[in-house]
Amino acid sequence: MFNNDTINKFQSIETPFYYYDMGILRQTLEACTNASARYGFHVHYAMKANFNPKVLDMIQSFGIGADCVSGNEVKAAIEHGFAKEKVVFAGVGKSDKEINLALDADIFCFNVESVQELFIINDLAAAKNKKANVAIRINPNVDAHTHHFITTGLDENKFGINIWQLPDVADALRKCTNLQFLGIHFHIGSQITDMEVYKSLCTRINEMQDWFEDHGFPVKVLNTGGGLGVDYYNPDTNAFSDFESYFNVFKDFLNVRPGQEVHFELGRALVAQSASLISRVLYVKNGLKKNFLVLDAGMTELLRPMLYQAYHSIENLSQKSKVESQNLTQDIKYDVVGPICESTDCFRKDVDLPESFRGDLIAIRTAGAYAEVMASGYNLRNRAQSVYSE
Ligand SMILES: *Cc1c(COP(=O)(O)O)cnc(C)c1O
């Protein structure tokens, strides 16, 4: 991601900033769309992972759909040229205003997360003399084997409709004449790297579609959600997720009936490796037990380590060529922290780095997903700019 030219260019740019490698983004999208096209699978991009306009434009140019979780995301998807027939709208708390906006935009489908929401969408659609397409988001009680802060498909999670409530769903669908039932939707968590998890999900999806068919509801769409993980430890050697193995699991284990569509909602796996957060060392504090590198970036630019105890690879770009040419060892342990007035404002403790100095450029890798979108103005901080490789 960083050759000497790129690092030299960084010298004159105000830090912190997000650096987008558009080549990596393009290659990732190619790898994903090639792998999904083989089986005729449909991919929607989960926009909440990154709604940077340049990123959205490139994703849209691959013919990928949009998976939105707010009214503003629906609006942005349409504005960025995503086809309305490829926009889906999930979320456990859609407001009336957001539902109306999506009805006016004639999106493809609402992924509905409660029985009450079915009645509300039905009423709002009726007021507009429209029929809304709905898929039922089912909570399959499948353990995603990921960090418990980012698991979403267990009984204890707030998302989706639990299996024991399905008879109520069937009753509601029969009563709601302004709804068109399209299919079933799942999303069990994020940063999933164990393909066995997706096999278990396929088993559950097969059972659930049988249930709906048995109760007189033909299932046209099987939406398996997203969650495919990326390699935060080796961003260079594993720049792309293994899309082929991922789609293969669904090809092998999902019972796809004739005429059915299979949908995926990938967020992180499409964008995470395409960006890094670039920062400068403001101060080096050497203590008795601890050394601190105080950066000019903090939890206001990248919240994941503080919010989910997430790991990000950290590199000293300024010492990189010295380390490589002189075969230096990275033998100093630093706690790499931000400037924000919170003790949790720490990117990682005991990071092995070469001896580092004030002014050194530090790259925090794999910051393309759930980074810029979570930026905040806490401490009245400026918004970090975005810089693009092209
Ligand atoms: C966040 C989200 C996704 C994408 O999750 P990733 O882990 O980024 O792939 C997909 N579907 C829904 C409903 C989501 O909320």
Side-chain angles (χ1 to χ4, degrees):
M1 187 174 240
F2 310 109
N3 56 32
N4 286 339
D5 280 353
T6 314
I7 296 170
N8 280 340
K9 241 179 262 161
F10 287 172
Q11 300 298 348
S12 57
I13 303 174
E14 184 184 353
T15 48
F17 62 89
Y18 303 97
Y19 175 68
Y20 285 90
D21 188 320
M22 301 307 276
I24 289 185
L25 178 59
R26 189 178 296 111
Q27 286 170 27
T28 309
L29 295 167
E30 276 165 7
C32 176
T33 47
N34 288 341
S36 63
R38 191 163 311 147
Y39 307 126
F41 290 162
H42 299 246
V43 177
H44 292 88
Y45 167 57
M47 226 170 113
K48 73 173 185 288
N50 190 318
F51 38 70
N52 179 301
K54 276 210 163 206
V55 171
L56 287 185
D57 286 342
M58 186 176 288
I59 293 175
Q60 184 276 125
S61 75
F62 278 77
I64 291 172
D67 166 39
C68 305
V69 291
S70 74
N72 283 345
E73 285 192 5
V74 170
K75 217 160 103 185
I78 308 255
E79 280 167 9
H80 283 273
F82 287 89
K84 63 184 194 317
E85 312 78 49
K86 290 187 185 173
V87 173
V88 299
F89 184 13
V92 72
K94 303 176 189 78
S95 72
D96 294 19
K97 188 176 168 187
E98 291 175 311
I99 293 168
N100 277 324
L101 185 152
L103 286 169
D104 289 338
D106 293 317
I107 63 163
F108 175 65
C109 190
F110 290 85
N111 292 330
V112 177
E113 309 224 9
S114 67
V115 176
Q116 193 171 28
E117 187 190 332
L118 280 173
F119 286 107
I120 299 302
I121 297 176
N122 183 62
D123 289 348
L124 295 172
K128 292 179 184 292
N129 248 323
K130 288 196 171 189
K131 225 170 169 159
N133 286 336
V134 294
I136 304 302
R137 176 168 180 178
I138 299 171
N139 183 342
N141 199 22
V142 168
D143 188 342
H145 296 305
T146 185
H147 196 282
H148 61 281
F149 288 172
I150 51 174
T151 195
T152 57
L154 293 173
D155 281 344
E156 68 211 49
N157 297 127
K158 70 178 177 181
F159 300 101
I161 297 176
N162 290 316
I163 292 168
W164 51 267
Q165 290 172 306
L166 291 185
D168 293 342
V169 169
D171 283 347
L173 287 172
R174 285 197 192 92
K175 284 184 194 136
C176 291
T177 50
N178 288 78
L179 299 183
Q180 174 67 47
F181 173 76
L182 271 197
I184 49 181
H185 172 237
F186 301 81
H187 176 64
I188 56 173
S190 202
Q191 185 53 19
I192 297 167
T193 50
D194 177 0
M195 289 302 125
E196 293 298 317
V197 167
Y198 285 117
K199 285 187 200 171
S200 310
L201 175 62
C202 286
T203 306
R204 262 308 203 285
I205 297 177
N206 293 336
E207 292 165 8
M208 293 299 110
Q209 66 163 330
D210 287 348
W211 190 94
F212 275 90
E213 300 264 344
D214 290 348
H215 287 76
F217 296 98
V219 177
K220 196 175 150 227
V221 174
L222 301 176
N223 186 334
T224 72
L228 178 61
V230 300
D231 190 343
Y232 281 92
Y233 291 84
N234 306 290
D236 290 315
T237 45
N238 276 330
F240 316 112
S241 301
D242 186 354
F243 294 108
E244 305 215 348
S245 303
Y246 170 67
F247 289 123
N248 269 327
V249 169
F250 293 91
K251 183 214 126 217
D252 290 339
F253 293 93
L254 208 55
N255 294 335
V256 183
R257 299 182 168 138
Q260 258 179 349
E261 291 179 9
V262 185
H263 290 209
F264 295 85
E265 300 172 335
L266 296 175
R268 185 191 311 275
L270 296 185
V271 293
Q273 299 291 19
S274 67
S276 293
L277 175 62
I278 310 295
S279 172
R280 274 193 177 84
V281 176
L282 287 175
Y283 301 101
V284 184
K285 287 175 68 168
N286 294 319
L288 280 178
K289 289 187 177 154
K290 283 270 179 199
N291 299 306
F292 293 97
L293 283 191
V294 184
L295 306 187
D296 61 6
M299 62 194 290
T300 40
E301 287 72 42
L302 178 65
L303 187 59
R304 299 188 66 258
M306 305 79 184
L307 187 61
Y308 314 124
Q309 303 165 342
Y311 179 98
H312 283 261
S313 173
I314 299 175
E315 292 170 24
N316 184 327
L317 298 181
S318 301
Q319 304 301 328
K320 191 174 139 105
S321 59
K322 214 194 284 173
V323 169
E324 280 162 5
S325 64
Q326 300 177 15
N327 235 339
L328 289 180
T329 47
Q330 309 207 13
D331 54 1
I332 301 188
K333 284 192 194 308
Y334 292 101
D335 283 12
V336 178
V337 303
I340 306 301
C341 299
E342 295 287 344
S343 293
T344 55
D345 186 34
C346 172
F347 289 110
R348 190 145 51 84
K349 294 190 165 157
D350 295 327
V351 184
D352 289 311
L353 287 168
E355 187 176 10
S356 302
F357 302 93
R358 174 174 164 84
D360 281 357
L361 285 165
I362 302 290
I364 305 178
R365 305 293 307 275
T366 320
Y370 306 108
E372 192 179 357
V373 286
M374 289 189 183
S376 83
Y378 185 42
N379 288 192
L380 204 50
R381 299 260 294 169
N382 288 329
R383 260 205 121 81
Q385 58 175 328
S386 300
V387 173
Y388 308 90
S389 62
E390 52 191 68

